[in-house]
Amino acid sequence: QLQLQESGPGLVKPSETLSLTCTVSGGSISSSSYYWGWIRQPPGKGLEWIGNGYYSGSSYYNPSLKSRVTISVDTSKNQFSLKLNSLTAADTAVYYCAGVHCSSTSCYYYYGMDVWGQGTTVTVSS
Amino acid sequence: EIVLTQSPGTLSLSPGERATLSCRASQSVGSNYLAWYQQKPGQAPRLLIYGASSRATGIPDRFSGSGSGTDFTLTISRLEPEDFAVYYCQRYGSSLLTFGGGTKVEIK
């Protein structure tokens, strides 16, 4: 079955850019049934959706983060990535990647985020 | 932008009791697009319910979802020790996703 694994630095400096990668195994990232998402969780707080990417190149972002986020999908490596720039301490969080399961490209029916990575802790500090 | 409000913030119950968790949307949400997740400390969230009322693979039948429009409910019929956790509702719409603030179910 599908498995996801995040990778990237655990510590980044303020004003710099965070780059995380999620490797997909057990299935193809080019599936028409999945968007690929990033979610974060600040310490002691709830879940915040960051954005989704699709194998075709389309992407969708949380309006509150849109100006700082890029999500891309690399079908040759079966990976997708997150870039978040202009970091501040408020970006300190556990970052999760997840599979967003839909009935089709248009997501007429949403089956939920049914596969998750284990999460990676990112601290923004000088 | 649709906001999901979960209540109560914390639910204190004993094993064997029934838990009723609420998720209220600021605008109508299509039932196709409402999901529930469970998260335990130090773990990634786990999908419980999609389509407002369909259980995800491997989810015990003590978990059930219901509701439509702006009001949705997650019910745990008889709490097991492993059910004490935080629960989130989530909405998909117009290619965007939103989480509720969560309800913590704690042991009384």
Side-chain angles (χ1 to χ4, degrees):
Chain A
Q1 75 271 21
L2 278 175
Q3 292 185 307
L4 305 181
Q5 178 67 58
E6 304 93 348
S7 58
L11 178 65
V12 287
K13 291 181 168 51
S15 79
E16 293 189 342
T17 296
L18 170 66
S19 294
L20 296 177
T21 298
C22 184
T23 300
V24 178
S25 58
S28 174
I29 204 167
S30 299
S31 168
S32 61
S33 299
Y34 277 90
Y35 287 79
W36 303 102
W38 289 96
I39 301 93
R40 70 180 183 179
Q41 185 170 38
K45 296 188 177 181
L47 300 169
E48 179 180 33
W49 173 70
I50 299 171
N52 293 342
Y54 197 57
Y55 77 94
S56 64
S58 57
S59 54
Y60 308 91
Y61 303 122
N62 186 325
S64 68
L65 297 169
K66 187 174 184 177
S67 64
R68 299 196 292 132
V69 176
T70 302
I71 293 174
S72 56
V73 176
D74 187 336
T75 56
S76 67
K77 295 182 179 179
N78 232 35
Q79 295 176 333
F80 61 105
S81 64
L82 167 71
K83 291 190 186 301
L84 180 66
N85 60 33
S86 304
L87 293 172
T88 71
D91 296 309
T92 293
V94 176
Y95 285 74
Y96 296 99
C97 59
V100 183
H101 194 174
C102 286
S103 56
S104 62
T105 304
S106 65
C107 207
Y108 177 77
Y109 197 96
Y110 176 58
Y111 294 108
M113 292 178 162
D114 60 3
V115 58
W116 291 70
Q118 65 186 26
T120 187
T121 298
V122 174
T123 301
V124 180
S125 175
S126 55
Chain B
E1 179 185 346
I2 292 183
V3 175
L4 300 179
T5 301
Q6 292 189 240
S7 62
T10 302
L11 199 50
S12 298
L13 295 168
S14 300
E17 290 194 295
R18 181 184 187 90
T20 303
L21 286 66
S22 172
C23 176
R24 178 162 291 177
S26 58
Q27 301 174 43
S28 184
V29 173
S31 295
N32 286 2
Y33 302 117
L34 198 287
W36 288 92
Y37 299 83
Q38 176 194 67
Q39 187 181 32
K40 297 179 182 179
Q43 296 184 17
R46 177 175 71 146
L47 176 67
L48 297 176
I49 301 287
Y50 63 89
S53 60
S54 297
R55 275 186 298 275
T57 303
I59 301 304
D61 61 6
R62 64 180 181 272
F63 291 92
S64 63
S66 62
S68 63
T70 60
D71 290 304
F72 296 88
T73 300
L74 174 70
T75 301
I76 311 171
S77 59
R78 295 172 309 281
L79 282 164
E80 297 288 340
E82 62 269 27
D83 299 336
F84 291 92
V86 180
Y87 293 84
Y88 295 94
C89 60
Q90 181 201 53
R91 176 248 180 187
Y92 178 96
S94 302
S95 302
L96 305 181
L97 287 150
T98 306
F99 286 98
T103 291
K104 181 179 182 179
V105 179
E106 66 176 22
I107 299 176
K108 187 174 181 180

